[in-house]
Amino acid sequence: MSTAAVQPSTPPARSGGAAAIGLIVTIVFSVVAPILTFNILTEDHGWSEASALLVSGVWPVLDTVIMVAWRRKLDEFAIIALVFLAITAVVSLVGAQSARALLVKDSAVTGLFGLLCLATLLAPRPLMFYFGRKFGTDGTPAGVAYYNGLWQYEGFRNAQRRMTLVWGVVYLIEAAVRVALSYLLDTSTMVTLSPFLIYGTLGGLALWTVRFVKRTKAEGEKRAAAAAAAAAEGSAA
C-alpha cells in the first residue's frame, strides 16, 4: 500500500494545553531562573561572575530533564537539546574561565547550532523536519505518522529545506552579534540581555516559520485545486 493511500487529509487533533505548559516551564527554567540565580549569587552572596554563570547554566539542563520525564520519551528534539547542553558544558570548561570568555563560548554554541542546520541540508532530512514534528504534533503515534507521511510531497520537502537554511543563517548572525556584545557590554547587562537575544531570535524565527508554513500550505492547496479542476475538465472532454 502506498504512503499516499493511507495519508489522512487532516492532521489529528492535538492538545494546546500541554504545549502551553511546556512553554511556561521553558520560560521559567531557561530565562527567568538563570537571570535570578546570577544576580542573587553575585550581588547577595559575593560569588564571582564566572562561577555564577556556570551555576545558572544548570537551569536549562533541568528544563530538558523535566520535559523528558514528562513526555516519558527521548525524542530527537530532546536528544539535540542534551547534546548542545553537553557541548556547552565541555566548551565552558575548556580554556579561559572568565565571565566574558564563558559568554563568548555560550554564544559560540548557538553558532554551532546554525552550522548544524546548514550541515543537515546534505542529510536525507534536514533538521527543521524533526523540529516541525516535535512542535507540529502532540507526539502521539497518529500525529507522528501523519507528519512523516507529508515527506512524500515535493512542496513539503522544499519547505523544510528552506526553513532549515533560514534558521541556520539567522543563528550564525545571532551568535556573531552576541559575541560582539559580550565585549562591548558589562557581564551583568549581558547576562540579562543574552536570554532575550536567544529567545527573541527563536521567537522571531518561530513567527516567520508559522507564517511561511501557512503561506506554503495555502499555495499547495491552490495548486492542488487547480490540478483537480484541470483533471475534471479533461475527464468531461
Side-chain angles (χ1 to χ4, degrees), residues 48-187:
S48 68
E49 292 178 336
S51 298
L53 274 174
L54 288 173
V55 173
S56 299
V58 173
W59 291 109
V61 177
L62 185 57
D63 173 38
T64 302
V65 171
I66 290 174
M67 287 300 155
V68 171
W70 181 23
R71 300 294 186 186
R72 295 184 179 180
K73 63 182 295 187
L74 192 64
D75 57 17
E76 294 88 351
F77 183 81
I79 293 173
I80 291 170
L82 289 171
V83 167
F84 271 91
L85 287 171
I87 292 174
T88 302
V90 171
V91 170
S92 297
L93 295 174
V94 174
Q97 298 299 307
S98 68
R100 176 171 292 169
L102 291 174
L103 288 170
V104 170
K105 292 174 183 178
D106 186 48
S107 302
V109 172
T110 59
L112 288 174
F113 176 78
L115 289 175
L116 176 62
C117 286
L118 299 181
T120 61
L121 291 173
L122 302 176
R125 298 188 183 188
L127 187 59
M128 284 303 108
F129 170 83
Y130 299 104
F131 274 69
R133 191 170 69 184
K134 168 68 178 179
F135 293 106
T137 73
D138 57 5
T140 61
V144 170
Y146 172 84
Y147 194 86
N148 288 341
L150 294 175
W151 188 254
Q152 66 183 301
Y153 303 112
E154 182 180 3
F156 179 81
R157 297 194 298 270
N158 291 338
Q160 297 300 311
R161 295 188 176 104
R162 187 178 304 176
M163 286 189 292
T164 302
L165 174 64
V166 170
W167 278 66
V169 171
V170 169
Y171 264 109
L172 286 176
I173 295 173
E174 184 268 352
V177 169
R178 282 208 293 141
V179 168
L181 290 177
S182 296
Y183 286 98
L184 295 174
L185 303 176
D186 60 83
T187 303

